[in-house]
Amino acid sequence: MLDAEDLLAAFTPPQPYTMEAAAGAPRSPGVHVVLDRGTVVYVGYTGNLRNRLRQHLTGNRDSSVLHEQVGQLLDQPGHEASAADIADWLGRCEVRWQETDNPEGTKEALVLALKPRFNRQVPKPRR
């Protein structure tokens, strides 16, 4: 069985998830992963890696599943986590990406194998 490092071998090296990292991402289709202390907590795919990585950091709960899921983690009774709180938490994580012509299939395989905590649902295996 492949471990996460094997599955992510074709991805960029981990780097802090900051606006600088997002700015360095290509504007091409691909898959991105967010890691918290080395564990993949989110897998996403997009037609434009740079824009999507920025959107997770600066967006809102309606524009980003990751933003919403981290917000739910950080929410306290009577206090909803702000966009800045969410961006700060993500900034303590690492991000990696891979350019691919089949981002949806790559994401599906990674979600099935890694079961990241912030992916809403695991896709159904194909028969």
Side-chain angles (χ1 to χ4, degrees), residues 64-120:
S64 164
V65 170
L66 177 61
H67 203 88
E68 168 64 18
Q69 297 284 304
V70 172
Q72 288 179 14
L73 173 77
L74 299 177
D75 286 346
Q76 299 294 321
H79 173 73
E80 186 173 281
S82 70
D85 295 334
I86 294 165
D88 285 347
W89 190 91
L90 288 170
R92 293 190 297 270
C93 294
E94 292 179 315
V95 65
R96 299 175 72 172
W97 62 81
Q98 175 188 34
E99 293 178 74
T100 176
D101 291 333
N102 182 19
E104 193 170 359
T106 303
K107 175 196 172 177
E108 186 174 304
L110 287 170
V111 168
L112 284 169
L114 301 174
K115 299 177 178 43
R117 73 187 281 191
F118 291 134
N119 285 88
R120 280 200 179 135

Side-chain angles (χ1 to χ4, degrees), residues 2-14 33 96-98 110:
L2 295 173
D3 66 6
E5 207 42 56
D6 293 330
L7 292 168
L8 299 177
F11 281 65
T12 59
V33 296
R96 299 175 72 172
W97 62 81
Q98 175 188 34
L110 287 170

Side-chain angles (χ1 to χ4, degrees), residues 15-67:
Q15 55 189 304
Y17 193 0
T18 62
M19 286 303 286
E20 292 77 18
R27 290 187 172 100
S28 54
V31 176
H32 54 285
V33 296
V34 177
L35 300 99
D36 182 17
R37 292 182 285 258
T39 299
V40 174
V41 294
Y42 180 77
V43 178
Y45 77 95
T46 181
N48 184 319
L49 283 161
R50 183 179 303 173
N51 286 353
R52 190 63 178 150
L53 292 175
R54 284 182 175 157
Q55 191 175 40
H56 287 317
L57 288 172
T58 63
N60 59 54
R61 292 181 184 216
D62 293 329
S63 69
S64 164
V65 170
L66 177 61
H67 203 88

